[in-house]
Amino acid sequence: PLLKTETINKAIECFLRNKIKNDSLFSVKRHHTRFYDKNGNLKPKEQRGFDIIVGNPPWEKLKVLEKEFFAIASPEIAKASTASIRKKMIQDLEENDLELYQEYVDAKEQAEIIAEYLRKSKRFPFSAVGELNLYSLFLELSHNLLKKDGILGMIVQTGILTDSSYQKFFENLVFTSSIIACHDFTNKLRIFKDVEENMRFCLLFLTSEGSDNEKFSLSVLNEKIEDIEKRTSKFSKKDLILFNPNTKTCPLFVNNQDYILCKKIYQNNS
């Protein structure tokens, strides 16, 4: 099984209880005891944190995208045929519509200030890299909020496994035995109706650092939940070093047969 049945049931039960009571996971009144004792002192690291975190964070770059910004306020700019024409139209706003132009400049400046703060805060050493994306920031923060032996389940972009920007992030998750399972999906069947068909996303399950997980489950190019079982392989830290010793990024095999064959080839050539 990908996760023990009782673990999944516990996750669902906690999620539903939170929804029914209309109580935020970050409610100070209810959950301050997850991190502080009754005297207001921070608990030891091994005693603080959440047992379960479930989420679908936004897949948005932390930057102002011209097409999105002007989609409603000025559709003609958003629909400009080329980027250079769009930039010229935006610059012309300084004379034609100073208020809209200033809103755009302010939004860009605010996004840049937030990005700079996140990079220098030292709270996101693995996710505040390259072009910042909110899903990786949410993932790193949530992972750090887990209690010892806690479990996290999130829907994030598959780039967390393969993008060079997150190379160190993924390596850290593997070598701290944090990954339980990761199942990559295409959106061909429009699981998310407002997302493009070629968008890749994954169901990522993590536990706190230092677990006794020797291997994690991995499947790729799933189109529906039923595809997972036949596409799943079991990966270890040694596999990562064998396949990608320099980058430590995740090798993606369509099925277990491909994984076994490639592993034999790499082992014979090493």
Side-chain angles (χ1 to χ4, degrees):
L2 302 176
L3 284 172
K4 292 182 179 179
T5 302
E6 60 265 33
T7 299
I8 295 175
N9 289 341
K10 184 180 179 184
I12 294 172
E13 180 186 351
C14 288
F15 177 71
L16 290 178
R17 183 167 63 245
N18 184 69
K19 292 293 286 183
I20 290 169
K21 290 189 176 182
N22 195 29
D23 184 25
S24 168
L25 285 175
F26 299 100
S27 166
V28 174
K29 182 179 179 181
R30 180 173 172 83
H31 295 290
H32 70 278
T33 54
R34 297 286 185 180
F35 298 89
Y36 299 92
D37 61 26
K38 60 182 180 180
N39 297 317
N41 299 314
L42 190 65
K43 289 182 176 180
K45 185 176 180 180
E46 64 274 9
Q47 296 179 14
R48 63 180 184 253
F50 293 104
D51 297 303
I52 292 175
I53 297 177
V54 180
N56 179 15
W59 310 344
E60 296 286 344
K61 291 181 178 178
L62 194 55
K63 63 183 294 186
V64 175
L65 302 177
E66 295 170 350
K67 286 185 179 181
E68 291 185 6
F69 184 88
F70 291 104
I72 296 177
S74 183
E76 62 275 13
I77 294 180
K79 295 177 182 178
S81 57
T82 66
S84 58
I85 292 176
R86 187 179 303 109
K87 290 186 184 300
K88 175 65 167 58
M89 294 173 72
I90 292 172
Q91 195 59 48
D92 289 344
L93 286 176
E94 191 171 9
E95 295 183 2
N96 303 329
D97 191 338
L98 183 58
E99 183 178 354
L100 179 58
Y101 177 76
Q102 193 58 51
E103 286 180 12
Y104 171 71
V105 171
D106 291 345
K108 281 189 64 176
E109 183 178 345
Q110 184 179 23
E112 290 166 1
I113 289 172
I114 293 173
E116 187 68 8
Y117 166 76
L118 292 171
R119 289 192 179 97
K120 292 183 176 181
S121 68
K122 298 184 179 180
R123 294 191 62 187
F124 304 93
F126 298 111
S127 57
V129 294
E131 279 196 341
L132 303 195
N133 197 305
L134 293 176
Y135 82 81
S136 60
L137 296 165
F138 270 76
L139 181 63
E140 184 171 6
L141 176 61
S142 299
H143 186 228
N144 290 335
L145 290 175
L146 279 180
K147 194 174 184 178
K148 180 174 172 56
D149 298 324
I151 293 176
L152 177 151
M154 279 195 171
I155 305 174
V156 297
Q157 290 183 330
T158 303
I160 198 68
L161 306 181
T162 57
D163 288 0
S164 58
S165 296
Y166 302 129
Q167 174 181 325
K168 293 296 182 182
F169 195 176
F170 178 72
E171 181 182 344
N172 176 262
L173 292 175
V174 172
F175 284 87
T176 57
S177 300
S178 296
I179 297 186
I180 299 172
C182 183
H183 301 293
D184 161 65
F185 283 78
T186 70
N187 199 39
K188 187 176 180 180
L189 298 182
R190 305 307 291 267
I191 295 174
F192 293 107
K193 295 181 180 179
D194 296 327
V195 176
E196 295 178 0
E197 290 185 17
N198 61 355
M199 176 65 74
R200 299 274 293 276
F201 63 92
C202 64
L203 307 181
L204 182 61
F205 298 90
L206 304 178
T207 187
S208 54
E209 291 186 359
S211 74
D212 56 1
N213 289 337
E214 293 185 0
K215 293 188 175 184
F216 64 93
S217 301
L218 176 71
S219 63
V220 302
L221 294 175
N222 298 294
E223 293 182 5
K224 53 188 183 297
I225 293 293
E226 291 76 16
D227 294 338
I228 291 177
E229 186 174 355
K230 64 185 177 183
R231 293 179 180 271
T232 296
S233 302
K234 290 282 190 177
F235 278 82
S236 68
K237 303 170 189 176
K238 292 181 180 179
D239 290 332
L240 210 62
I241 295 172
L242 177 65
F243 289 117
N244 292 323
N246 295 323
T247 63
K248 305 290 195 310
T249 50
C250 188
L252 302 180
F253 298 105
V254 175
N255 53 54
N256 198 46
Q257 289 72 27
D258 288 355
Y259 161 68
I260 293 172
L261 175 61
C262 289
K263 186 172 182 177
K264 288 181 178 179
I265 293 172
Y266 273 77
Q267 287 173 331
N268 289 337
N269 291 334
S270 60

